Amino acid sequence: MAEQTALPVTPDDTPAKPDAAVVRDALGVGVAVGLSGFAFGVTSAGSGLSLLQTCVLSLLVFTGASQFALVGALAAGGNPFTAAAGAFFLGTRNAFYGLRLSQLLALPKAVRPLAAHWVIDETTAVALAQPSRRAARIGFTVTGITLYVLWNVTTLLGALGAEAIGDTAAWGLDAAGPAVFLALLAPMLKSATERATAGLAVLLGLGLLPVLPAGVPVLAAALAAPVVLWARGRRAASTTGPATDSTTRREKDSR
């Protein structure tokens, strides 16, 4: 009876998660964030980009933070090259996501170039939250497909309806994507080290926002991880050092 009622186990001895549950979670994230492409379409059209330029950005760039940074800088009268550079630097975080996901997903080489286009905040968060490689692949794929389709469709609708919507800042639609990502991230901050890293990253990002170009504060916020790990190592060394020395002296005395 025990063998019949036991949960299925993955090769790494982690309890498996039903495929339906993974698909449900992935669809929830994909739909919630994908609908915010409407805000990007409106914002992009309002900043002076054409319908074609707006749609091409969503099709080829497909990373909301970089897209919003680009059109926001253009709307503020910034130099196009500076705006593009800020968006590029902001998007480099996806390269670091790819390093982790390449090991987790272990996709065939033939599909890796296509999968790389979907390596963004939301697909990474959903994949990393899964207990097994199979669940991670399903979560990544379903989130990527749902989000890519909806983001591009709503971008088109937003650009077409820009005049009817008016100012997106008044609606707060551009905050939908970051809000969903923070909701995904918060439950993953379980240890004091993780919470300290997240808190320091927020302080660095917000503190440097007024003085650095768009996109650079996010990269600078990544310095929070090595700083916290260094501080943790120093504290561990200071607390274990005396105990180790006294243990060594007792061993010498006993000899």
Side-chain angles (χ1 to χ4, degrees):
M1 291 295 294
E3 294 181 356
Q4 295 177 353
T5 58
L7 291 173
V9 176
T10 57
D12 59 355
D13 295 331
T14 302
K17 185 175 181 179
D19 292 350
V22 180
V23 171
R24 183 181 63 248
D25 295 343
L27 285 174
V29 174
V31 171
V33 180
L35 293 176
S36 63
F38 190 86
F40 170 72
V42 175
T43 305
S44 180
S47 66
L49 272 69
S50 68
L51 176 63
L52 179 60
Q53 290 172 328
T54 298
C55 292
V56 168
L57 271 176
S58 284
L59 285 169
L60 300 183
V61 178
F62 187 54
T63 171
S66 295
Q67 292 178 233
F68 274 113
L70 175 63
V71 299
L74 294 176
N79 183 284
F81 294 102
T82 303
F88 171 79
F89 283 119
L90 185 58
T92 56
R93 71 192 187 284
N94 295 333
F96 296 99
Y97 295 161
L99 294 175
R100 178 66 182 94
L101 289 179
S102 64
Q103 300 175 354
L104 175 64
L105 302 177
L107 296 173
K109 292 183 178 180
V111 301
R112 287 181 185 178
L114 297 176
H117 193 50
W118 289 351
V119 176
I120 55 176
D121 297 333
E122 292 77 17
T123 55
T124 301
V126 172
L128 293 180
Q130 306 310 319
S132 66
R133 174 167 292 167
R134 172 182 171 83
R137 286 179 171 179
I138 294 174
F140 176 85
T141 303
V142 174
T143 304
I145 293 175
T146 307
L147 186 50
Y148 188 74
V149 172
L150 273 179
W151 180 265
N152 283 282
V153 170
T154 54
T155 292
L156 174 61
L157 295 176
L160 291 173
E163 294 183 1
I165 292 296
D167 185 12
T168 54
W171 294 81
L173 296 176
D174 54 342
V180 171
F181 180 67
L182 290 177
L184 290 169
L185 179 63
M188 301 175 67
L189 304 177
K190 298 179 181 180
S191 67
T193 301
E194 292 169 347
R195 290 191 290 269
T197 303
L200 181 57
V202 170
L203 292 177
L204 286 173
L206 294 179
L208 297 175
L209 190 61
V211 297
L212 293 179
V216 179
V218 175
L219 298 177
L223 296 174
V227 169
V228 171
L229 291 176
W230 174 81
R232 181 184 178 187
R234 292 275 297 179
R235 185 174 63 179
S238 63
T239 55
T240 59
T244 303
D245 293 342
S246 61
T247 302
T248 304
R249 285 196 297 269
R250 285 197 300 270
E251 291 178 352
K252 290 181 177 180
D253 293 341
S254 62
R255 292 173 185 173

